[in-house]
C-alpha cells in the first residue's frame, strides 16, 4: 500500500494521474459539510416529494384498476350482446330458410296449376280447332256433293224428265192438285 501512495504522489508531480490526500487542498471538509446539510435539510423535502410521487403512483394504479374493471365489464356486456346477435342471426336465417321453402312450394304449386291450365286451354283450343276443321270438311263435302249431284242431274235430266220431277214434287208437297 505504501508503494501505491508513493507511486500516486510521484505521478501527480509529473503531470499524470495521482491521488491527493491533503484535506485542505481537496476540500473534503467542505464537501462533507455540504453533503451533511443536504441530508439533514433535504431529507424532509425528499421524503415529501417521494411520498407525493408514491401517492400519485398509487392513485394511477387504482385508476388503471378501475378502468380495467370497467373495460372487463364492457367486454362482458359486448360479448353477451354478440351472443344475442348471433342467436338472432341464426333465428332470422332459419326463418328465411323456412320462408324460402314455403315460397318455393307455393311457386311449384302455382307453376303446376299454370301447366294444368295451359294443358286444359290447349286441349280446348285443339278441340275447337278440330271441330272447326270437321265443320269445314263437312261444308266442303256437302258443297262437293251438291256440285256433283247438280252435275249428274244436269247430265241425266232432260227437259221432259225435269218437268215430270217438278210435277211429282209438287204433287207430294201439295197433295195432288
Amino acid at each position: 500500500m505504501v508503494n501505491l501512495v508513493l507511486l500516486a504522489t510521484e505521478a501527480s508531480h509529473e503531470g499524470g494521474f495521482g491521488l491527493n490526500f491533503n484535506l485542505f487542498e481537496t476540500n473534503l471538509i467542505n464537501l462533507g459539510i455540504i453533503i451533511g446539510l443536504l441530508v439533514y435539510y433535504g431529507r424532509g423535502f425528499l421524503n415529501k416529494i417521494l411520498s407525493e410521487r408514491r401517492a400519485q403512483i398509487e392513485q394511477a394504479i387504482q385508476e388503471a384498476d378501475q378502468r380495467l374493471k370497467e373495460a372487463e365489464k364492457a367486454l362482458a356486456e359486448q360479448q353477451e350482446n354478440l351472443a344475442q346477435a348471433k342467436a338472432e342471426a341464426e333465428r332470422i336465417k332459419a326463418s328465411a330458410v323456412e320462408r324460402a321453402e314455403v315460397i318455393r312450394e307455393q311457386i311449384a304449386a302455382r307453376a303446376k296449376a299454370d301447366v294444368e291450365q295451359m294443358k286444359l286451354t290447349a286441349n280446348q283450343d285443339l278441340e275447337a280447332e278440330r271441330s272447326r276443321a270437321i265443320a269445314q270438311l263437312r261444308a266442303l263435302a256437302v258443297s262437293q256433293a251438291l256440285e256433283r249431284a247438280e252435275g249428274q242431274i244436269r247430265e241425266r235430266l232432260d227437259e221432259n224428265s225435269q218437268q215430270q220431277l217438278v210435277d211429282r214434287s209438287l204433287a207430294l208437297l201439295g197433295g195432288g192438285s
Side-chain angles (χ1 to χ4, degrees):
M1 177 90 167
V2 176
N3 289 335
L4 183 61
V5 172
L6 288 176
L7 183 63
T9 53
E10 285 180 26
S12 65
H13 290 296
E14 295 175 3
F17 172 75
L19 295 176
N20 187 357
F21 291 106
N22 186 351
L23 291 179
F24 295 113
E25 280 185 17
T26 59
N27 284 323
L28 283 180
I29 295 173
N30 290 339
L31 285 174
I33 293 172
I34 290 176
I35 291 174
L37 288 174
L38 283 176
V39 168
Y40 180 74
Y41 290 114
R43 182 177 24 195
F45 176 73
L46 191 57
N47 282 342
K48 181 181 175 187
I49 290 175
L50 290 176
S51 55
E52 286 177 3
R53 180 67 181 147
R54 182 178 187 163
Q56 289 174 352
I57 291 171
E58 286 175 352
Q59 183 180 0
I61 289 172
Q62 288 174 353
E63 289 174 359
D65 284 341
Q66 182 65 28
R67 285 194 305 267
L68 176 64
K69 288 176 185 176
E70 290 172 1
E72 287 174 346
K73 182 179 176 184
L75 177 63
E77 289 175 2
Q78 293 306 320
Q79 285 176 339
E80 183 179 326
N81 290 344
L82 177 63
Q84 289 175 353
K86 284 182 179 179
E88 182 68 16
E90 287 298 320
R91 186 190 63 76
I92 289 171
K93 182 180 176 184
S95 174
V97 167
E98 182 180 313
R99 181 73 178 139
E101 183 63 27
V102 168
I103 290 172
R104 186 190 65 76
E105 289 173 1
Q106 288 175 347
I107 289 172
R110 192 176 315 142
K112 187 176 181 181
D114 288 347
V115 166
E116 291 298 321
Q117 182 64 33
M118 285 194 295
K119 282 182 182 178
L120 181 63
T121 303
N123 285 339
Q124 289 173 348
D125 288 347
L126 184 63
E127 188 62 35
E129 196 62 36
R130 191 172 132 244
S131 296
R132 191 171 33 248
I134 288 173
Q136 285 177 351
L137 286 176
R138 282 183 185 160
L140 183 63
V142 168
S143 172
Q144 286 178 355
L146 285 176
E147 284 177 16
R148 227 185 220 171
E150 281 180 6
Q152 285 178 358
I153 290 176
R154 283 187 194 136
E155 288 177 10
R156 291 185 187 167
L157 288 178
D158 57 359
E159 266 216 40
N160 197 13
S161 297
Q162 264 183 347
Q163 188 61 40
Q164 285 177 0
L165 181 65
V166 169
D167 287 340
R168 205 178 337 154
S169 295
L170 286 176
L172 288 174
L173 287 175
S177 46

